[in-house]
Amino acid sequence: METFKLTVNGQVKEVTADPGTPLLWVLREDLKMTGTKYGCGIAACGACTVHLGGVPTRSCVVPVALVRNRPILTIEAMADDPVGRVVQDVWVSEDVVQCGYCQSGQIMSAVALLKSTPKPTDKDIEESMGGNLCRCGTYVRIRQAIKTSARQLG
Amino acid sequence: MSTATTSHPPSVSRRTFLRVSSAAAGGLLVSLYLDWPTIAQQPATPKVYPPDAFVHVRPDGKIVVQVNRLEFGQGVQTALPMLLADEMDADWLQVIAELAPAGDVYRDPVYGIQMVGGSGSIAHSFEQYRQLGARTRAMLIAAAAAQWKVTPTQCRAESSVVYGPNGQSARYAELAEAAAHLPVPENIQLKKESDLRLTNKEVRRLDSGAKCNGSQKFGLDVDLPGMKVALVAHPPVFGAKVKGFDANAARAISGVQEVFEIPLVRGTGVAIVADRFWAAKQARDRLRAEWDTASVERPDTAQLFAKYRELARTPGNVAVSRANANAMDSISPANRILAEYEFPYLAHTPMEPLNTTVRFDGDRAEVWGGSQFQTVDRMAIAEVLGLKPEQVTFHTEMAGGGFGRRATPDSHVQREAATVAKRLRGIPVKLIWTREDDVQGGYYRPMHVHRVEVGIGGDGMPAAWRHVIVGQSILAGTPFAPMMVKNGVDSTAVEGTADTKYNIPNFHISAHHPAINVPVLWWRSVGHTHNAFVMETLIDELARRAKADPIAYRLKLLSPDAKKLRNCLALLQGKTASWRSLPRNHAVGIACHESFETGVACAVEVSIEDKRPRIHRATITVDPGFAVNPLTIASQMQGGVTFGITQVMSRGAITLKDGRVEQRNWDGYTPPYMKDAPVIAQVHIVPSSEKPSGCGEPPVPVISPAVVNALSRLTGKRYRTLPLTEI
Ligand code: FES
Ligand code: FES
């Protein structure tokens, strides 16, 4: 067990955990931030996506010890993020979600995409969103919602 | 849709009870619930009203509606409150939907247990929720009328306010207490279609906001003081038992509390209880267990297919035999098609891994979980804990998908959770199935072999059809068997073939159900997954042989009473009229299928990219009767076809070798990602006033045959073996 200082959504948090514990479980169980989801644990679904130092990252395969001083942004901070807020609003107005379980990860990936590529093409969308699984099959609406968000942010 | 009080099975007696109670936060709650058949046998006026209710008019104006079944993406948590609020003339913006706990009043009015399945949520509760809304409204109006000394007919209601003839008005919240003391009206008039304000309109989901900002809690997010996490090491072969285990390394992990052997529905396992998931996971990885795999059958996919192919050469138990079973013999071999199909096991892999949280307190227990089968799961947990079902409080949690996987007749996950909780008495335990447990844990869509011989008549239409289906019975050994297994034929294995809407004169369907040591289960649209694939690829092949347009051919072959499919195909024809000129190397594939009383037709434009089908667009037409929420129906169609694509993914198969499942996670068993789904998916709903039918499952069966029909047009090949490893 070791103690780590993490900057999560702008706040410094201290956690004591086994250094190998994936960031996902530290967020969910130690910090009680359950918006970040567990789907596979092997970086195959994107449900656990957070921004680590600004980069969309699968938190299920990042040991907490490797986070170091990189800031962490989770879905819980998206309402206060200028891009995140637009994406969330569009997601709601276009009725994207079904079960919703994958959507934290989808939104985190979409926000990262729109920050790096404000006018994404279909190909950009497929590449950036390509690892985010949605078992309910909301892909058509996600694709559309990203385009709408890009327009609104434009 | 009928406008007066609508029909219900005549045997069903309904009474309405009312309950008034004080809210914890002060003020009065009016609770109304309808008495459905399951409690109709009880005394007419029970002394103690069940604490369950469907609608609360709160003093603050909020209207809380209890949803009698699980929400796991299908949108019922929005649709049922819509129906109620519409009849009640409630202010939609004040409506709060809650998932009802397990309780008798929340049983499905048709199935008689509390469940989600068979695409029955709207079909079965449409009437129920409308009636509830209408009765509540009538009572609120009666209360206002009494107050104003006018007759109810002089009053009208709108957006949670009652208006009187002389300019009076009162909010529902103000009337709730008085309304609670009034008798519940026996006969009420439901609205005419033209008076509906929410129903049949595109209404956005109530749960989107919470699901987009991370605040929605799912079963896996349940967190209770002192809670522990449990994982179970399951046998590597279904049903195997633990021979012995060395838990020293596992116990050495910090945070691990207990490691012990537990009985499972199949075989035994080793439970690990820890403070945190990661500790439990590491401990399980380090556990050294030995299993007795010698005394259980060790299925092997290759051997099973060989056996199934052999069985398919002999007729099975007869499901349908229409006209002359030997008509085939009079058709020359040149005019026959012999087709053999193979379908693998498929896992559901809902996005939220399976889980259940249980706290056992000796004489009662509390449970939290997403369940499609609350009645069954609650009974199973009670049985494990030695309690009566009433002693088990079962909270229905929002679930991250399910697709049938949260409706297990044997409640195996819930039993595991209860078994562990029993030992930990007083401590809440969240039992989690990791994704690996889920992929390897069985309860799959059964693998199948179909062998079909089609004799083609002089007009190019099928004149004789002989079809043998081989696959495990899903229902055998479950409480549903007496109802749904007839003459040794499991109705879920032949659905979509035996009851085909195509008019084929000499038609013979039979089935074999070998018993195999692999647990199987309904997978969204159940038997239609493979039956529609066989029917729709063969019909397409016949249309091509006849040089006919695939839609026109289907319309010609459909029986005259296949109204819904005819509507869907006609609409599809119109909507795809402009698809004539396609880019080179693109082709269109068509399929249609009726299931759960809903007709769906689908056209896809496909090319081959990187040796995989690329679906440039899909147009889906659906006839679900009266469309309660067109926005949700469109979502279900788009999502359902994407789910159906699982079948044609290159790694869309669960296989076994020497009894062990060869895939572990989504890297080996790979469902569709964005690039595998249609780029565009347009949905058109056939306008209808017929009673509503389900929309969750019906889109699933059409997509894979449509895609494969397009591929056949591109390559000239026939695809009869799934998954589609090669094109
Ligand atoms: S849980 Fe991290 S990618 Fe699936
Ligand atoms: S909305 Fe259910 S998995 Fe994406």
Side-chain angles (χ1 to χ4, degrees), chain A residues 96-103 106 133-138 142, chain B residues 72-73 350-352 399-401 403:
Chain A
V96 170
V97 314
Q98 290 187 29
C99 83
Y101 194 81
C102 72
Q103 300 293 346
Q106 304 281 2
L133 187 64
C134 174
R135 260 333 244 143
C136 298
T138 62
I142 288 173
Chain B
F72 58 156
M351 206 69 203
E352 179 201 4
F403 320 113

PDB file of all heavy atoms in Angstrom, chain A residues 96-103 106 133-138 142, chain B residues 72-73 350-352 399-401 403, ligand 2:
ATOM      1  N   VAL A  96     -29.493  10.363 -27.463  1.00  0.00           N
ATOM      2  CA  VAL A  96     -28.474   9.387 -27.855  1.00  0.00           C
ATOM      3  C   VAL A  96     -28.522   8.124 -26.997  1.00  0.00           C
ATOM      4  O   VAL A  96     -28.436   7.017 -27.495  1.00  0.00           O
ATOM      5  CB  VAL A  96     -27.059  10.015 -27.768  1.00  0.00           C
ATOM      6  CG1 VAL A  96     -25.984   8.953 -27.925  1.00  0.00           C
ATOM      7  CG2 VAL A  96     -26.894  11.112 -28.821  1.00  0.00           C
ATOM      8  N   VAL A  97     -28.691   8.298 -25.705  1.00  0.00           N
ATOM      9  CA  VAL A  97     -28.435   7.173 -24.799  1.00  0.00           C
ATOM     10  C   VAL A  97     -29.546   6.128 -24.866  1.00  0.00           C
ATOM     11  O   VAL A  97     -30.697   6.433 -25.167  1.00  0.00           O
ATOM     12  CB  VAL A  97     -28.260   7.608 -23.326  1.00  0.00           C
ATOM     13  CG1 VAL A  97     -27.344   8.813 -23.218  1.00  0.00           C
ATOM     14  CG2 VAL A  97     -29.571   7.859 -22.628  1.00  0.00           C
ATOM     15  N   GLN A  98     -29.156   4.920 -24.586  1.00  0.00           N
ATOM     16  CA  GLN A  98     -30.140   3.870 -24.303  1.00  0.00           C
ATOM     17  C   GLN A  98     -29.879   3.426 -22.870  1.00  0.00           C
ATOM     18  O   GLN A  98     -30.254   4.135 -21.947  1.00  0.00           O
ATOM     19  CB  GLN A  98     -30.074   2.759 -25.343  1.00  0.00           C
ATOM     20  CG  GLN A  98     -30.598   3.273 -26.702  1.00  0.00           C
ATOM     21  CD  GLN A  98     -30.730   2.201 -27.749  1.00  0.00           C
ATOM     22  OE1 GLN A  98     -30.955   1.030 -27.463  1.00  0.00           O
ATOM     23  NE2 GLN A  98     -30.590   2.598 -29.006  1.00  0.00           N
ATOM     24  N   CYS A  99     -29.192   2.296 -22.676  1.00  0.00           N
ATOM     25  CA  CYS A  99     -28.941   1.917 -21.274  1.00  0.00           C
ATOM     26  C   CYS A  99     -28.057   2.948 -20.599  1.00  0.00           C
ATOM     27  O   CYS A  99     -28.122   3.145 -19.403  1.00  0.00           O
ATOM     28  CB  CYS A  99     -28.347   0.524 -21.166  1.00  0.00           C
ATOM     29  SG  CYS A  99     -26.561   0.440 -21.394  1.00  0.00           S
ATOM     30  N   GLY A 100     -27.197   3.594 -21.382  1.00  0.00           N
ATOM     31  CA  GLY A 100     -26.382   4.674 -20.849  1.00  0.00           C
ATOM     32  C   GLY A 100     -25.058   4.258 -20.257  1.00  0.00           C
ATOM     33  O   GLY A 100     -24.215   5.109 -19.953  1.00  0.00           O
ATOM     34  N   TYR A 101     -24.850   2.956 -20.115  1.00  0.00           N
ATOM     35  CA  TYR A 101     -23.661   2.512 -19.377  1.00  0.00           C
ATOM     36  C   TYR A 101     -22.355   2.879 -20.082  1.00  0.00           C
ATOM     37  O   TYR A 101     -21.358   3.143 -19.437  1.00  0.00           O
ATOM     38  CB  TYR A 101     -23.743   0.997 -19.150  1.00  0.00           C
ATOM     39  CG  TYR A 101     -22.755   0.497 -18.123  1.00  0.00           C
ATOM     40  CD1 TYR A 101     -23.029   0.609 -16.765  1.00  0.00           C
ATOM     41  CD2 TYR A 101     -21.546  -0.068 -18.508  1.00  0.00           C
ATOM     42  CE1 TYR A 101     -22.127   0.165 -15.823  1.00  0.00           C
ATOM     43  CE2 TYR A 101     -20.635  -0.524 -17.577  1.00  0.00           C
ATOM     44  CZ  TYR A 101     -20.929  -0.402 -16.230  1.00  0.00           C
ATOM     45  OH  TYR A 101     -20.028  -0.838 -15.298  1.00  0.00           O
ATOM     46  N   CYS A 102     -22.367   2.903 -21.403  1.00  0.00           N
ATOM     47  CA  CYS A 102     -21.137   3.219 -22.137  1.00  0.00           C
ATOM     48  C   CYS A 102     -20.939   4.711 -22.300  1.00  0.00           C
ATOM     49  O   CYS A 102     -19.910   5.151 -22.796  1.00  0.00           O
ATOM     50  CB  CYS A 102     -21.177   2.594 -23.529  1.00  0.00           C
ATOM     51  SG  CYS A 102     -22.338   3.448 -24.624  1.00  0.00           S
ATOM     52  N   GLN A 103     -21.973   5.504 -21.959  1.00  0.00           N
ATOM     53  CA  GLN A 103     -21.991   6.877 -22.447  1.00  0.00           C
ATOM     54  C   GLN A 103     -20.999   7.803 -21.752  1.00  0.00           C
ATOM     55  O   GLN A 103     -20.558   8.780 -22.360  1.00  0.00           O
ATOM     56  CB  GLN A 103     -23.419   7.448 -22.401  1.00  0.00           C
ATOM     57  CG  GLN A 103     -24.436   6.678 -23.256  1.00  0.00           C
ATOM     58  CD  GLN A 103     -24.191   6.764 -24.773  1.00  0.00           C
ATOM     59  OE1 GLN A 103     -23.414   7.607 -25.242  1.00  0.00           O
ATOM     60  NE2 GLN A 103     -24.839   5.895 -25.541  1.00  0.00           N
ATOM     61  N   GLN A 106     -18.138   7.308 -23.915  1.00  0.00           N
ATOM     62  CA  GLN A 106     -18.364   7.872 -25.253  1.00  0.00           C
ATOM     63  C   GLN A 106     -18.172   9.381 -25.208  1.00  0.00           C
ATOM     64  O   GLN A 106     -17.525   9.982 -26.076  1.00  0.00           O
ATOM     65  CB  GLN A 106     -19.795   7.559 -25.737  1.00  0.00           C
ATOM     66  CG  GLN A 106     -20.183   6.092 -25.756  1.00  0.00           C
ATOM     67  CD  GLN A 106     -19.641   5.325 -26.951  1.00  0.00           C
ATOM     68  OE1 GLN A 106     -18.914   5.862 -27.787  1.00  0.00           O
ATOM     69  NE2 GLN A 106     -19.981   4.041 -27.022  1.00  0.00           N
ATOM     70  N   LEU A 133     -17.048   0.814 -27.221  1.00  0.00           N
ATOM     71  CA  LEU A 133     -18.117  -0.136 -27.519  1.00  0.00           C
ATOM     72  C   LEU A 133     -19.442   0.382 -26.966  1.00  0.00           C
ATOM     73  O   LEU A 133     -19.486   0.963 -25.881  1.00  0.00           O
ATOM     74  CB  LEU A 133     -17.769  -1.478 -26.861  1.00  0.00           C
ATOM     75  CG  LEU A 133     -18.665  -2.667 -27.168  1.00  0.00           C
ATOM     76  CD1 LEU A 133     -18.592  -3.031 -28.644  1.00  0.00           C
ATOM     77  CD2 LEU A 133     -18.234  -3.869 -26.316  1.00  0.00           C
ATOM     78  N   CYS A 134     -20.504   0.170 -27.712  1.00  0.00           N
ATOM     79  CA  CYS A 134     -21.857   0.413 -27.194  1.00  0.00           C
ATOM     80  C   CYS A 134     -22.681  -0.804 -27.547  1.00  0.00           C
ATOM     81  O   CYS A 134     -23.007  -1.020 -28.709  1.00  0.00           O
ATOM     82  CB  CYS A 134     -22.490   1.666 -27.793  1.00  0.00           C
ATOM     83  SG  CYS A 134     -24.211   1.869 -27.281  1.00  0.00           S
ATOM     84  N   ARG A 135     -23.004  -1.600 -26.555  1.00  0.00           N
ATOM     85  CA  ARG A 135     -23.769  -2.824 -26.824  1.00  0.00           C
ATOM     86  C   ARG A 135     -25.192  -2.498 -27.254  1.00  0.00           C
ATOM     87  O   ARG A 135     -25.840  -3.293 -27.908  1.00  0.00           O
ATOM     88  CB  ARG A 135     -23.789  -3.704 -25.572  1.00  0.00           C
ATOM     89  CG  ARG A 135     -22.877  -4.860 -25.463  1.00  0.00           C
ATOM     90  CD  ARG A 135     -22.425  -5.498 -26.722  1.00  0.00           C
ATOM     91  NE  ARG A 135     -22.879  -6.875 -26.853  1.00  0.00           N
ATOM     92  CZ  ARG A 135     -23.251  -7.416 -28.011  1.00  0.00           C
ATOM     93  NH1 ARG A 135     -23.284  -6.701 -29.112  1.00  0.00           N
ATOM     94  NH2 ARG A 135     -23.609  -8.678 -28.067  1.00  0.00           N
ATOM     95  N   CYS A 136     -25.705  -1.343 -26.822  1.00  0.00           N
ATOM     96  CA  CYS A 136     -27.062  -0.965 -27.233  1.00  0.00           C
ATOM     97  C   CYS A 136     -27.084  -0.464 -28.668  1.00  0.00           C
ATOM     98  O   CYS A 136     -28.152  -0.285 -29.235  1.00  0.00           O
ATOM     99  CB  CYS A 136     -27.626   0.112 -26.314  1.00  0.00           C
ATOM    100  SG  CYS A 136     -27.776  -0.415 -24.607  1.00  0.00           S
ATOM    101  N   GLY A 137     -25.925  -0.165 -29.233  1.00  0.00           N
ATOM    102  CA  GLY A 137     -25.875   0.239 -30.637  1.00  0.00           C
ATOM    103  C   GLY A 137     -26.323   1.658 -30.892  1.00  0.00           C
ATOM    104  O   GLY A 137     -27.094   1.926 -31.806  1.00  0.00           O
ATOM    105  N   THR A 138     -25.800   2.598 -30.110  1.00  0.00           N
ATOM    106  CA  THR A 138     -26.201   4.000 -30.303  1.00  0.00           C
ATOM    107  C   THR A 138     -25.265   4.729 -31.271  1.00  0.00           C
ATOM    108  O   THR A 138     -25.280   5.955 -31.345  1.00  0.00           O
ATOM    109  CB  THR A 138     -26.212   4.757 -28.955  1.00  0.00           C
ATOM    110  OG1 THR A 138     -24.881   4.761 -28.416  1.00  0.00           O
ATOM    111  CG2 THR A 138     -27.139   4.106 -27.949  1.00  0.00           C
ATOM    112  N   ILE A 142     -24.524   8.745 -31.945  1.00  0.00           N
ATOM    113  CA  ILE A 142     -23.273   9.330 -31.439  1.00  0.00           C
ATOM    114  C   ILE A 142     -22.586  10.099 -32.569  1.00  0.00           C
ATOM    115  O   ILE A 142     -22.165  11.245 -32.402  1.00  0.00           O
ATOM    116  CB  ILE A 142     -22.343   8.220 -30.893  1.00  0.00           C
ATOM    117  CG1 ILE A 142     -22.896   7.665 -29.585  1.00  0.00           C
ATOM    118  CG2 ILE A 142     -20.925   8.755 -30.701  1.00  0.00           C
ATOM    119  CD1 ILE A 142     -22.141   6.459 -29.042  1.00  0.00           C
TER     120      ILE A 142
ATOM    121  N   PHE B  72     -33.423  -0.969 -19.010  1.00  0.00           N
ATOM    122  CA  PHE B  72     -32.032  -1.314 -19.350  1.00  0.00           C
ATOM    123  C   PHE B  72     -31.696  -0.859 -20.757  1.00  0.00           C
ATOM    124  O   PHE B  72     -30.935  -1.488 -21.470  1.00  0.00           O
ATOM    125  CB  PHE B  72     -31.724  -2.789 -19.097  1.00  0.00           C
ATOM    126  CG  PHE B  72     -32.576  -3.803 -19.828  1.00  0.00           C
ATOM    127  CD1 PHE B  72     -32.070  -5.089 -20.064  1.00  0.00           C
ATOM    128  CD2 PHE B  72     -33.849  -3.522 -20.260  1.00  0.00           C
ATOM    129  CE1 PHE B  72     -32.816  -6.042 -20.725  1.00  0.00           C
ATOM    130  CE2 PHE B  72     -34.610  -4.479 -20.929  1.00  0.00           C
ATOM    131  CZ  PHE B  72     -34.097  -5.737 -21.157  1.00  0.00           C
ATOM    132  N   GLY B  73     -32.332   0.261 -21.110  1.00  0.00           N
ATOM    133  CA  GLY B  73     -32.024   0.857 -22.397  1.00  0.00           C
ATOM    134  C   GLY B  73     -33.227   0.956 -23.307  1.00  0.00           C
ATOM    135  O   GLY B  73     -33.283   1.798 -24.196  1.00  0.00           O
ATOM    136  N   PRO B 350     -23.806  -7.833 -22.039  1.00  0.00           N
ATOM    137  CA  PRO B 350     -24.317  -6.476 -21.803  1.00  0.00           C
ATOM    138  C   PRO B 350     -23.189  -5.604 -21.256  1.00  0.00           C
ATOM    139  O   PRO B 350     -22.268  -6.103 -20.624  1.00  0.00           O
ATOM    140  CB  PRO B 350     -25.414  -6.682 -20.765  1.00  0.00           C
ATOM    141  CG  PRO B 350     -25.118  -7.983 -20.109  1.00  0.00           C
ATOM    142  CD  PRO B 350     -24.425  -8.819 -21.144  1.00  0.00           C
ATOM    143  N   MET B 351     -23.291  -4.318 -21.538  1.00  0.00           N
ATOM    144  CA  MET B 351     -22.186  -3.407 -21.203  1.00  0.00           C
ATOM    145  C   MET B 351     -21.862  -3.409 -19.706  1.00  0.00           C
ATOM    146  O   MET B 351     -20.704  -3.386 -19.316  1.00  0.00           O
ATOM    147  CB  MET B 351     -22.603  -2.011 -21.668  1.00  0.00           C
ATOM    148  CG  MET B 351     -21.463  -1.102 -21.991  1.00  0.00           C
ATOM    149  SD  MET B 351     -20.579  -1.599 -23.468  1.00  0.00           S
ATOM    150  CE  MET B 351     -19.032  -0.810 -23.110  1.00  0.00           C
ATOM    151  N   GLU B 352     -22.884  -3.409 -18.883  1.00  0.00           N
ATOM    152  CA  GLU B 352     -22.632  -3.454 -17.437  1.00  0.00           C
ATOM    153  C   GLU B 352     -22.482  -4.905 -17.034  1.00  0.00           C
ATOM    154  O   GLU B 352     -23.415  -5.700 -17.183  1.00  0.00           O
ATOM    155  CB  GLU B 352     -23.813  -2.849 -16.664  1.00  0.00           C
ATOM    156  CG  GLU B 352     -23.608  -2.897 -15.161  1.00  0.00           C
ATOM    157  CD  GLU B 352     -24.901  -2.783 -14.335  1.00  0.00           C
ATOM    158  OE1 GLU B 352     -26.002  -2.742 -14.923  1.00  0.00           O
ATOM    159  OE2 GLU B 352     -24.797  -2.759 -13.111  1.00  0.00           O
ATOM    160  N   ALA B 399     -30.070  -0.878 -15.179  1.00  0.00           N
ATOM    161  CA  ALA B 399     -29.105  -1.852 -15.687  1.00  0.00           C
ATOM    162  C   ALA B 399     -28.499  -1.391 -17.006  1.00  0.00           C
ATOM    163  O   ALA B 399     -29.164  -0.797 -17.842  1.00  0.00           O
ATOM    164  CB  ALA B 399     -29.767  -3.215 -15.873  1.00  0.00           C
ATOM    165  N   GLY B 400     -27.228  -1.681 -17.154  1.00  0.00           N
ATOM    166  CA  GLY B 400     -26.511  -1.345 -18.380  1.00  0.00           C
ATOM    167  C   GLY B 400     -26.667  -2.437 -19.417  1.00  0.00           C
ATOM    168  O   GLY B 400     -25.774  -3.232 -19.649  1.00  0.00           O
ATOM    169  N   GLY B 401     -27.830  -2.486 -20.025  1.00  0.00           N
ATOM    170  CA  GLY B 401     -28.112  -3.514 -21.036  1.00  0.00           C
ATOM    171  C   GLY B 401     -28.442  -4.843 -20.386  1.00  0.00           C
ATOM    172  O   GLY B 401     -28.359  -5.007 -19.161  1.00  0.00           O
ATOM    173  N   PHE B 403     -30.363  -7.688 -22.705  1.00  0.00           N
ATOM    174  CA  PHE B 403     -30.592  -8.461 -23.933  1.00  0.00           C
ATOM    175  C   PHE B 403     -31.017  -9.895 -23.671  1.00  0.00           C
ATOM    176  O   PHE B 403     -30.783 -10.782 -24.482  1.00  0.00           O
ATOM    177  CB  PHE B 403     -29.347  -8.411 -24.841  1.00  0.00           C
ATOM    178  CG  PHE B 403     -28.693  -7.062 -24.871  1.00  0.00           C
ATOM    179  CD1 PHE B 403     -27.432  -6.845 -24.339  1.00  0.00           C
ATOM    180  CD2 PHE B 403     -29.385  -5.970 -25.389  1.00  0.00           C
ATOM    181  CE1 PHE B 403     -26.856  -5.580 -24.331  1.00  0.00           C
ATOM    182  CE2 PHE B 403     -28.818  -4.693 -25.396  1.00  0.00           C
ATOM    183  CZ  PHE B 403     -27.547  -4.500 -24.868  1.00  0.00           C
TER     184      PHE B 403
HETATM  185  S1  FES C   2     -26.072   2.924 -24.366  1.00  0.00           S
HETATM  186 FE1  FES C   2     -26.049   0.900 -23.616  1.00  0.00          FE
HETATM  187  S2  FES C   2     -24.045   0.267 -24.038  1.00  0.00           S
HETATM  188 FE2  FES C   2     -24.156   2.197 -24.973  1.00  0.00          FE
END
